Amino acid sequence: MGATVGAMTDQGRPPSFARVSLGVVMSAREANLLGNIHGGEIVKLADSTAGAVAQRHSGGPAVTAALDEMAFLAPVHVGDILRTYAQVNWAGRTSMEVGVRVEAQPWNDPSIETVHVASAYFVFVAIDADGAPRQIPPLVIESADEVRRGREAEIRRAHRLAKKQEIETSRAT
Ligand SMILES: CC(C)(COP(=O)(O)OP(=O)(O)OC[C@H]1O[C@@H](n2cnc3c(N)ncnc32)[C@H](O)[C@@H]1OP(=O)(O)O)[C@@H](O)C(=O)NCCC(=O)NCCS
């Protein structure tokens, strides 16, 4: 097992290697004052899923560096099973973008169609024992969908870094 993981680190890892899905039934504890599930609960579950993906891809600790896009598409209700699907979209030297899709379905009625309720893109940075960024394995792209996700992740990264740079420049002047 250890030898296999080591070999994959040298050669890179496909998105399927670290892919994770989590599922939780939403209770009244997670509801907001309107009776729907609080958006923060959905962000937390998405972040936890993305964190597991980042840890698995990078083979060690990884922290959330940025969450720059979280789209809430439909309300989630008490009694829904909230299920996340996450994988690495793009990997750089020490950072990676993890895409998360969130779906909901009532816990007691599988005849009701699953609804896509949210999507998010997280940037995680792998860190060493001192908390400094550490190098991660490259991402090995295998399908046309993965090529598209990687291309779109690079567009988001360019925008994130340009925005960060512009703000830093404006503060320095
Ligand atoms: C994330 C953290 C380790 C980055 O440290 P840093 O010294 O700023 O790192 P660097 O500037 O060398 O950047 C490291 C990588 O992150 C990327 N990065 C950093 N900030 C980013 C941002 N806002 N958006 C996109 N990428 C970013 C860099 O481009 C670089 O990527 P690459 O190595 O793949 O090219 C540091 O800011 C940190 O510890 N933040 C707190 C994390 C945390 O507590 N999260 C919440 C709980 S998990």
Side-chain angles (χ1 to χ4, degrees):
M1 174 78 183
T4 309
V5 169
M8 293 188 86
T9 304
D10 295 335
Q11 293 157 13
R13 294 168 172 178
S16 58
F17 177 78
R19 192 173 286 151
V20 167
S21 179
L22 294 181
V24 184
V25 180
M26 291 291 110
S27 73
R29 277 193 308 273
E30 287 85 41
N32 62 23
L33 294 175
L34 299 174
N36 296 327
I37 298 306
H38 198 293
E41 298 291 340
I42 301 170
V43 175
K44 187 176 176 189
L45 185 63
D47 188 26
S48 298
T49 316
V53 169
Q55 172 100 18
R56 287 153 66 101
H57 179 83
S58 69
V63 292
T64 316
L67 161 58
D68 66 349
E69 198 176 315
M70 176 105 206
F72 296 99
L73 308 170
V76 179
H77 305 105
V78 172
D80 282 352
I81 298 171
L82 205 57
R83 183 167 288 284
T84 53
Y85 300 87
Q87 64 179 31
V88 178
N89 288 337
W90 175 90
R93 203 182 71 78
T94 66
S95 71
M96 65 212 106
E97 185 195 90
V98 180
V100 187
R101 179 185 171 96
V102 189
E103 295 182 350
Q105 187 185 46
W107 69 279
N108 55 352
D109 191 351
S111 71
I112 296 180
E113 211 169 308
T114 297
V115 177
H116 178 198
V117 293
S119 279
Y121 301 101
F122 291 83
V123 178
F124 274 78
V125 176
I127 53 166
D128 63 18
D130 299 322
R134 72 181 159 85
Q135 202 164 337
I136 62 172
L139 191 66
V140 179
I141 296 301
E142 293 180 326
S143 71
D145 262 349
E146 290 168 5
V147 170
R148 176 187 56 76
R149 289 195 191 104
R151 198 172 51 231
E152 292 174 5
E154 279 179 359
I155 294 169
R156 283 187 292 270
R157 174 176 162 84
H159 282 268
R160 273 180 211 119
L161 296 181
K163 187 170 70 178
K164 192 177 170 190
Q165 179 65 51
E166 199 175 333
I167 289 171
E168 279 168 9
T169 306
S170 99
R171 284 185 183 176
T173 53

